[in-house]
Amino acid sequence: DGFDRTYRGLLRLKPKLNFDDALLAPFASLRTRALLRSTHIYARLLDALSHPQHLQSQRQRDAVLARLEVGQREWPFLARTQAAERDALLRGDVPRFTIAVGGTDVEDGDGRRIDAVFARSGRDEARRRLRILSERDRQRQTYALAQSLESLRPWSAIEPERDCAQTRAASGSDDDAHRGLALDTAIALGDELLRLSFNGRGERAWFQPEYRNRPEPSLAPMGLTLYEGLPGVMLMFAELGAQSGLSRFTRA
């Protein structure tokens, strides 16, 4: 409820949320911390550097610091920030970088500038996200949040509800004879799935609880399995388009 109220408030304020002459203008010239790695990675490296087995020689300490190379293939800019990270860790500090809200360059703790670390500035990213704010996006985000919270519920609380739902479904099985009602319900469900999808670069995605061989699920993009993933949704939309004659499902 708090997320929903906050989102609705941002929608009402959307015309006033810009960096030129409105509510966000005072933030345009500020500097903030830039997180290039998770802080717990630095903490683990500091812990390893202080361990007696790594205090005997520079070679052993260099072996610990070589772990900073992890991730450079996915994020090439880390190759340019590694020297600053290394210097800070050898001093016993957590590496700290700052960035201007409107810039893409970062400064390390010694004031040295590293150019073009980010593809776009925080200001431009905020503008992009403000453009996305809409009633449809609010519904998608609220649904994703509800799914995430649902994944935290213990199985002991879910099982009685499942048993009740199965009982109701069995008692109402005669409704299957009403083809019109079944088709109308399927179309409504198809339209709801379309509203909940996230679109970008010609692709469509959904988020759902994924178990991934663990007892507790986590919210993740829908995968490629038939029964729980995108192929099943594709088959559903294809059949729904054929049965209803509605092209929006066939296109999806």
Side-chain angles (χ1 to χ4, degrees), residues 45 48 53 156 223:
L45 289 174
Q53 75 179 73
S156 58

Side-chain angles (χ1 to χ4, degrees), residues 18-230:
N18 66 69
F19 286 91
D20 300 323
D21 56 1
L23 294 177
L24 298 180
F27 297 93
S29 59
L30 295 182
R31 295 192 67 83
T32 186
R33 187 179 178 193
L35 294 174
L36 307 186
R37 299 183 198 257
S38 177
T39 304
H40 87 273
I41 293 176
Y42 294 138
R44 292 178 63 180
L45 289 174
L46 285 172
D47 186 56
L49 286 171
S50 63
H51 194 279
Q53 75 179 73
H54 297 130
L55 294 173
Q56 299 175 27
S57 70
Q58 184 63 45
R59 182 181 59 80
Q60 291 173 321
R61 294 169 70 76
D62 287 342
V64 173
L65 293 170
R67 300 176 193 173
L68 290 170
E69 297 176 6
V70 174
Q72 288 184 16
R73 179 178 299 178
E74 296 85 354
W75 301 288
F77 66 83
L78 289 176
R80 293 186 284 121
T81 60
Q82 183 177 334
E85 292 175 308
R86 179 188 175 96
D87 291 346
L89 290 168
L90 286 174
R91 291 197 303 265
D93 293 337
V94 170
R96 180 179 175 85
F97 300 90
T98 60
I99 187 170
V101 170
T104 59
D105 307 335
V106 303
E107 287 187 5
D108 65 14
D110 296 319
R112 294 174 295 192
R113 191 173 75 176
I114 306 167
D115 296 335
V117 170
F118 289 91
R120 58 173 169 260
S121 68
R123 178 184 59 199
D124 292 342
E125 176 65 14
R127 284 172 169 163
R128 185 187 72 84
R129 297 194 181 206
L130 284 169
R131 287 195 298 270
I132 295 173
L133 287 179
S134 64
E135 179 59 26
R136 177 173 180 259
D137 185 63
R138 183 193 65 78
Q139 294 173 357
R140 293 184 306 182
Q141 299 286 356
T142 304
Y143 172 77
L145 178 58
Q147 289 282 76
S148 181
L149 293 173
E150 179 70 13
S151 71
L152 300 176
R153 284 212 297 161
W155 179 250
S156 58
I158 298 173
E159 197 166 20
E161 296 180 9
R162 185 191 63 163
D163 294 339
C164 292
Q166 290 175 341
T167 302
R168 288 195 299 271
S171 64
S173 59
D174 292 340
D175 290 345
D176 294 343
H178 301 290
R179 174 176 169 77
L181 176 60
L183 184 58
D184 289 344
T185 303
I187 290 173
L189 289 170
D191 283 333
E192 180 68 7
L193 279 174
L194 289 179
R195 282 193 294 270
L196 293 174
S197 66
F198 291 81
N199 307 324
R201 299 179 182 177
E203 298 181 354
R204 199 181 284 272
W206 287 266
F207 288 81
Q208 67 176 7
E210 294 275 356
Y211 282 86
R212 303 183 188 279
N213 298 319
R214 293 194 303 254
E216 298 84 15
S218 59
L219 199 67
M222 191 174 285
L224 297 177
T225 58
L226 177 62
Y227 292 103
E228 298 178 342
L230 290 173

